[in-house]
Amino acid sequence: AVERTLSIVKPDAVAKNVIGEILTRFEKAGLKVVAAKMIKLDDEKAGGFYAEHKERPFFKDLVSFMTSGPVVVQVLEGENAIAANRELMGATNPKEAAAGTIRADFAESIDANAVHGSDSAASAEREIAYFFAADEICSR
Ligand code: CMP
């Protein structure tokens, strides 16, 4: 089925100037960018986004990393977009990410891991609404 998923190009990848290379991978895989914006997250916005990780030991470092520079938030649309994006990203820890995945090619560490992608239909719905109003998404 055609799905939508939330993707974030994280501060490390923005700093490396590989926004375009990452979005190209989505497009080459048949995913369409139907919404996009560059924003600088603050503690409240980043903490709310990652609320499910609030009790995890890495939460503080995660929020501090995600607010360290601008990010590019996008909605990707396409057939099985959620799983397709996760396959393109590779494992959360770049050391475990398969060759040719975004994280294997661009990420440095489990914190600075280049991209985020929704992990389920329920999180995609929540995460998309967290960043975009309905009229900011251009279905095509
Ligand atoms: P992301 O997919 O954005 O979701 C939560 C983020 O927490 C994850 O990518 C990692 O960048 C970061 N993180 C740091 N340490 C861990 C860990 N031990 N397990 C999972 N995620 C971690």
Side-chain angles (χ1 to χ4, degrees), residues 18 40 110 118-119:
V18 293
K40 175 85 164 57
I110 195 162
S118 308
D119 65 3

Side-chain angles (χ1 to χ4, degrees), residues 27-95:
E27 294 187 330
K28 290 221 157 113
L31 297 174
K32 294 175 178 177
V33 178
V34 295
K37 59 186 163 195
M38 179 177 273
I39 46 176
K40 175 85 164 57
L41 300 176
D42 60 16
D43 285 4
E44 193 189 333
K45 190 81 178 169
F49 181 72
Y50 285 120
E52 66 179 305
H53 297 308
K54 200 152 191 139
E55 305 308 326
R56 308 283 290 274
F58 57 82
F59 181 75
K60 206 164 164 266
D61 285 347
L62 175 60
V63 170
S64 135
F65 172 67
M66 290 300 289
T67 57
S68 66
V71 298
V72 178
V73 188
Q74 323 105 60
V75 178
L76 304 177
E77 186 178 85
E79 195 63 30
N80 296 320
I82 297 162
N85 181 39
R86 292 185 71 76
E87 201 157 306
L88 292 169
M89 290 192 298
T92 303
N93 185 344
K95 292 184 182 77

Side-chain angles (χ1 to χ4, degrees), residues 116-129:
H116 167 84
S118 308
D119 65 3
S120 67
S123 27
E125 192 176 343
R126 181 189 81 86
E127 292 178 359
I128 290 167

